[in-house]
Amino acid sequence: MKKVGFVCVYGRANAGKSTIINKILGFKLLPVSSKPQTTRDNVKAIYNDEESQIVFVDTPGVFKPHGKLGSILLRDSESAKEGVDAILYVIDASEVPDFSLAEKLQKQDTPVFVAFNKIDLVKPDIGEERLKRYQEMLPKATFFRCSAKENYGIEEILKALKEILPEGEDYYPEDIASDRPKEFIISEIIREKCMRLLSAEVPHSIAIDVKSVEQEKDGMEVYADVIVEKESEKAIVIGSHGDMVSRISRYSEKSIGEYFQEPCYVKLLVKVVPDWRNSDKYLKKFGYDEEQ
């Protein structure tokens, strides 16, 4: 029998949760950027090998909520810890410790594994002192020093997770890496490119509305709207003479093509929907359910 189970990946925004999952999978499934709150949904990423199937629930990074969308994301991050076989708590070693999330995990009966991430970005003595303080708070947890970016410590985390999972049958077919539909994967890839390329004040007001994905003989054609909240944001996304939206399209075409292993054409339109992050209509349209 295989070792099969669910693992919640928990932690603050930009701690490196998605990067760790991508390294475990061996390819890029989840969006990663230098800006926090890249992951907005509880995405299930599925790891398969001959001896195990691990379903990773990658949560929105925990942050101070703003508006209805922020409250929904915060709720989803906390609820994802329930009903799983293990919790992988990712800490950014390079940041000054904040123990509020560790306090929430102190009462967990679920096994907790701590990825003390980004150790390559902090002086060893400072990192060890911070690590010791977390270990004192979570004495039952298993700790790993790691650098997801450098692929250091990832194999050890994977091995430890496999050991505690129960035996059972696969939850998902072996040939899929996510339970999300094609349109969702495409929208996340486009949104990541926006996160990477745009100025700091714009990305969190952005949503991607995939209008259609058409399969042609020479590849895939994607038509999507980039939704922002202000006319000033629209101007930034479009850029001078359309340069920025062209860059977003070009980068998206490359990543979508690599992911689905076929040529891809991306056509983007930028639209303004004022205050969509507080609109019940648009939150529901973009898949954020306030009543869960």
Side-chain angles (χ1 to χ4, degrees):
M1 293 284 284
K2 296 172 70 171
K3 304 298 286 291
V4 178
F6 288 78
V7 176
C8 168
V9 187
Y10 182 71
R12 296 206 167 276
N14 210 30
K17 302 181 301 299
S18 295
T19 306
I20 286 177
I21 294 177
N22 287 337
K23 291 294 184 180
I24 288 174
L25 293 178
F27 63 95
K28 187 172 181 179
L29 168 68
L30 300 175
V32 179
S33 87
S34 59
K35 298 183 176 72
Q37 202 189 318
T38 313
T39 304
R40 280 192 180 152
D41 300 76
N42 290 356
V43 179
K44 291 186 178 69
I46 304 159
Y47 171 85
N48 284 288
D49 64 15
E50 291 182 357
E51 59 188 15
S52 67
Q53 181 178 92
I54 307 175
V55 183
F56 290 96
V57 183
D58 179 44
T59 62
V62 179
F63 57 95
K64 186 177 180 180
H66 296 282
K68 287 186 178 181
L69 174 60
S71 298
I72 291 170
L73 299 181
L74 185 60
R75 177 206 65 197
D76 290 349
S77 287
E78 295 300 334
S79 64
K81 302 197 305 293
E82 307 302 323
V84 295
D85 298 288
I87 296 170
L88 179 59
Y89 172 31
V90 182
I91 297 171
D92 184 345
S94 69
E95 291 190 347
V96 176
D98 180 336
F99 300 110
S100 57
L101 297 190
E103 289 174 356
K104 293 181 179 181
L105 293 175
Q106 286 178 322
K107 299 177 182 179
Q108 285 285 337
D109 294 328
T110 306
V112 175
F113 297 83
V114 180
F116 197 61
N117 192 30
K118 304 187 184 182
I119 59 170
D120 52 314
L121 301 180
V122 63
K123 293 181 179 179
D125 56 336
I126 296 175
E128 287 301 311
E129 189 274 333
R130 291 174 179 174
L131 175 61
K132 183 178 179 182
R133 293 168 68 188
Y134 280 105
Q135 288 173 324
E136 290 171 351
M137 288 203 68
L138 297 169
K140 296 181 181 179
T142 305
F143 282 76
F144 299 89
R145 299 167 180 82
C146 68
S147 169
K149 184 178 179 181
E150 302 299 328
N151 207 22
Y152 173 76
I154 302 301
E155 282 296 324
E156 289 76 11
I157 293 172
L158 180 59
K159 181 180 178 182
L161 290 173
K162 287 181 182 181
E163 288 177 354
I164 62 94
L165 291 180
E167 292 186 343
E169 300 291 334
D170 288 347
Y171 288 99
Y172 296 95
E174 291 186 5
D175 60 348
I176 70 169
S178 175
D179 68 340
R180 295 291 189 163
K182 179 185 291 186
E183 289 79 6
F184 176 84
I185 301 293
I186 289 171
S187 70
E188 286 295 275
I189 290 173
I190 296 171
R191 192 162 65 86
E192 183 216 6
K193 303 313 172 188
C194 294
M195 298 286 288
R196 285 186 178 275
L197 294 171
L198 294 169
S199 54
E201 67 271 20
V202 177
H204 300 310
S205 69
I206 281 180
I208 307 300
D209 185 11
V210 176
K211 311 303 288 187
S212 69
V213 179
E214 300 176 6
Q215 205 67 44
E216 303 294 341
K217 289 183 178 180
D218 56 350
M220 183 190 304
E221 293 186 359
V222 174
Y223 297 87
D225 293 341
V226 180
I227 307 297
V228 295
E229 293 184 320
K230 302 174 182 178
E231 289 291 340
S232 59
E233 295 169 344
K234 178 179 178 179
I236 293 172
V237 175
I238 293 174
S240 177
H241 306 292
D243 289 348
M244 178 54 72
V245 73
S246 293
R247 288 182 67 197
I248 295 169
S249 296
R250 191 166 65 252
Y251 280 57
S252 299
E253 287 171 349
K254 183 175 185 297
S255 292
I256 295 169
E258 289 175 351
Y259 184 86
F260 291 102
Q261 295 295 296
E262 63 176 309
C264 179
Y265 167 78
V266 174
K267 174 64 176 178
L268 300 177
L269 293 178
V270 186
K271 296 184 177 180
V272 177
V273 178
D275 202 28
W276 71 263
R277 287 178 291 178
N278 282 307
S279 164
D280 293 337
K281 173 185 174 182
Y282 281 96
L283 288 172
K284 187 173 182 179
K285 177 181 175 63
F286 298 139
Y288 306 115
D289 188 352
E290 194 175 13
E291 299 180 356
Q292 282 184 359

